[in-house]
Every structure is written in C-alpha cells, then in structure tokens.
C-alpha cells in the first residue's frame, strides 16, 4: 500500500517513477530518424512523452504507452550504443529509444521493467475503505468526525466545498450529505496535521505528507472552533496507524521490563 494514495478521483498521486529526455526513433513525417522527447513514466505504468520538458503538466502528451505486459530490452541490431526497445502487449508497434549513456539506459530499463510486471498487493484495511467509499456518507458506522470542509485547489487558488467523513485514517469526500457515494478520498497514514495561516491571514488545516513525493493539502472549516475540532480528530485518527518502522522503534524504546514476552 502506498501511503497517501487516492481511493477515487481525488488527486494525491506521487511523482513519476522516472522522467527525462530520450531520443525516439521515428519513421513518420518529413523527418525520419531520432527525435528528442521528454518522457515521464508514471506509477500507473503508463509512459507519457512530450515535445519539451516545459510541456509536462501544461499540454496533453503526444502519446501514452501502457507498459503492463510489454517486452522491454536492449537493441543491438542498429549498431548504436544505448538503444533499447519497448513492444507493448498489443504487439502492433515497436518503440525504439536512444539514451545518452549506459547508466541512463539502465535507469530507464529498470523502471520500465518494473512497470511491465506490476506487483499487486491486497490489504484488508484498503478493501474496507474502498467499500466505505461506495456508501452514502451517513451509512459509514461510527465516524470520527464529519461535516463541511473547504479544500484549496492550488492550481486555481479556489476553495472547493466537500461534505467530509473521517474514519480510520481515511478522509472521504462527498458532493453533499445526500450523495450516494464518495467522490474521492485520502489515505492519511504518515501525514502530519498543523494549523497554518495562509497569505490572506485565514486559519487553515494543513495536511503535510511524509514525503515530498506527495501533495500537501489545505482545508478550512466553517469557523476556527470547527478547525480545531477537525485538527483534534485528524491527529487522533492518524495516530492509530503508525508506520511499521515507527511502531518497532516505539516498542524498542520502551523500558526493558515492558518488552519481555
């Protein structure tokens, strides 16, 4: 389970597993040969590429290559070093890439090979949260906190209102109290909860991720008292779910008489 992964359509996706410039062989158009493109391999196993680095996040990719089930390997047939191929599972096209060094080629081959053979793990807690996300908000039993929260959309600098339910370290978002299912949610294991004041001097709830790979989220309730109620509930809910290494460390730090079996 990836800490901070999303359970629906609410974006909380970690940074790509690999990104950088590669040259891609082409046989189409007026220019044949090798074209320099900016490639981004995402955690969903899809390889996106753009004309330039600056296009990532601003323009749609020129193409998306699904790597699951693909064949990836070095190609020495062209008599050129640092060349490798990717044949997607559909098998109707071969993509040929050219790296700038052996180290760069190995970096991409390792990342792409992992994407071709994804490891899927199941987790009881994850199954429960997925089930909960399919329920109406009032059908979730014994919520730890509920009510209206406004989430800051950093791309538009606008606040979006959600009806929220907090349960077992997971925050579920609904369009309203009468919604039939969650529109999204956040796994909050490892997140830190703080009260912050943004530029407009408004007190907000900051959810800080355990790693820079993940996004920081900002929420605001209807009043300062409501903010405090949510902060207390969020801290208590997250504290129930310690990362394994932290749980082991806490156990080892306990007095000797308490750790004897």
């Amino acid at each position: 389970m990836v800490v901070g992964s999303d359970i629906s359509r609410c974006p909380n996706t970690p940074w790509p597993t690999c990104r950088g410039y590669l040259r891609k062989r082409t046989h189409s158009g007026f220019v044949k040969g090798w074209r320099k493109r900016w490639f981004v391999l995402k955690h969903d196993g899809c390889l996106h590429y753009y004309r330039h680095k600056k296009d990532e996040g601003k323009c749609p990719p020129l193409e998306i290559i699904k790597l699951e089930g693909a064949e990836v390997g070095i190609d020495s047939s062209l008599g050129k070093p640092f060349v490798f191929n990717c044949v997607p599972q559909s098998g109707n096209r071969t993509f040929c890439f050219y790296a700038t060094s052996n180290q760069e080629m190995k970096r991409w081959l390792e990342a792409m090979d992992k994407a071709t053979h994804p490891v899927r793990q199941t987790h009881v807690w994850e199954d429960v949260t997925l089930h909960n996300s399919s329920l109406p908000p009032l059908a979730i039993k014994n919520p730890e906190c509920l009510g209206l929260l406004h989430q800051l959309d950093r791309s538009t600098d606008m606040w979006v209102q959600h009806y929220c339910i907090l349960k077992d370290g997971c925050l579920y978002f609904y369009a309203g109290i009468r919604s039939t299912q969650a529109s999204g949610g956040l796994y909050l294991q490892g997140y830190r909860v703080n009260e912050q004041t943004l530029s407009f001097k408004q007190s907000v709830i900051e959810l800080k991720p355990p790693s820079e790979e993940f996004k920081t989220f900002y929420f605001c309730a209807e009043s300062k008292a409501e903010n405090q109620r949510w902060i207390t509930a969020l801290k208590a809910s997250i504290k129930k779910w310690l990362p394994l290494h932290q749980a082991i460390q806490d156990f080892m730090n306990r007095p000797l008489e308490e750790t004897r079996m």
Side-chain angles (χ1 to χ4, degrees):
M1 182 177 64
V2 178
V3 173
S5 62
D6 67 308
I7 62 169
S8 185
R9 293 181 293 278
C10 190
N12 191 25
T13 311
W15 286 343
T17 61
C18 199
R19 50 152 48 111
Y21 278 109
L22 289 171
R23 295 190 180 274
K24 184 179 76 70
R25 195 180 187 198
T26 180
H27 298 283
S28 60
F30 295 103
V31 180
K32 293 179 172 59
W34 299 90
R35 290 180 178 173
K36 189 177 180 181
R37 295 288 182 254
W38 178 255
F39 286 84
V40 180
L41 176 55
K42 301 201 172 184
H43 280 263
D44 60 1
C46 290
L47 183 65
H48 299 229
Y49 69 86
Y50 307 82
R51 293 185 190 280
H52 308 286
K53 179 180 179 179
K54 63 181 181 181
D55 295 338
E56 182 188 348
K58 296 180 179 178
C59 305
L62 297 174
E63 193 165 358
I64 300 175
I65 307 167
K66 186 177 180 182
L67 295 185
E68 183 175 354
E71 294 182 12
V72 179
I74 297 173
D75 184 354
S76 56
S77 65
L78 299 177
K80 195 177 184 68
F82 321 137
V83 174
F84 58 101
N85 286 338
C86 172
V87 183
Q89 196 170 33
S90 60
N92 57 7
R93 184 178 175 187
T94 298
F95 293 88
C96 193
F97 306 109
Y98 172 35
T100 56
S101 66
N102 188 52
Q103 182 180 0
E104 185 72 359
M105 180 180 70
K106 284 184 176 180
R107 181 173 78 93
W108 277 101
L109 283 173
E110 287 177 7
M112 292 172 71
D113 186 63
K114 289 180 181 177
T116 62
H117 306 94
V119 177
R120 290 187 172 83
Q121 297 178 338
T122 58
H123 194 284
V124 173
W125 176 84
E126 198 171 23
D127 290 341
V128 171
T129 56
L130 286 171
H131 171 71
N132 285 344
S133 69
S134 67
L135 299 175
L138 300 184
I140 296 180
K141 297 180 179 179
N142 304 316
E144 294 157 1
C145 201
L146 53 83
L148 292 175
L149 282 176
H150 295 81
Q151 180 191 353
L152 179 61
D153 184 339
R154 301 306 293 270
S155 62
T156 62
D157 207 29
M158 301 283 288
W159 291 89
V160 181
Q161 181 178 277
H162 305 287
Y163 186 80
C164 296
I165 299 282
L166 176 65
K167 174 71 174 176
D168 293 335
C170 186
L171 186 63
Y172 302 90
F173 301 136
Y174 298 85
I177 195 170
R178 301 185 186 281
S179 299
T180 58
Q181 62 182 22
S183 57
L186 296 175
Y187 290 152
L188 297 176
Q189 279 69 23
Y191 272 72
R192 297 191 306 276
V193 186
N194 304 296
E195 185 176 18
Q196 292 288 350
T197 302
L198 295 186
S199 58
F200 42 81
K201 297 183 179 180
Q202 180 179 358
S203 177
V204 300
I205 303 164
E206 179 188 63
L207 292 177
K208 194 80 173 176
S211 166
E212 291 184 356
E213 287 184 290
F214 302 97
K215 295 180 180 179
T216 298
F217 293 90
Y218 295 95
F219 294 93
C220 184
E222 298 296 310
S223 66
K224 188 174 179 64
E226 276 292 284
N227 270 3
Q228 288 301 322
R229 183 173 73 91
W230 274 101
I231 287 172
T232 301
L234 285 162
K235 286 182 176 180
S237 188
I238 293 170
K239 192 175 180 180
K240 293 179 182 178
W241 303 88
L242 288 177
L244 178 60
H245 68 87
Q246 186 178 335
I248 293 173
Q249 188 63 46
D250 288 352
F251 179 79
M252 297 300 293
N253 289 339
R254 290 168 62 185
L256 181 62
E257 60 271 14
E258 292 185 22
T259 60
R260 288 176 179 162
M261 302 299 289

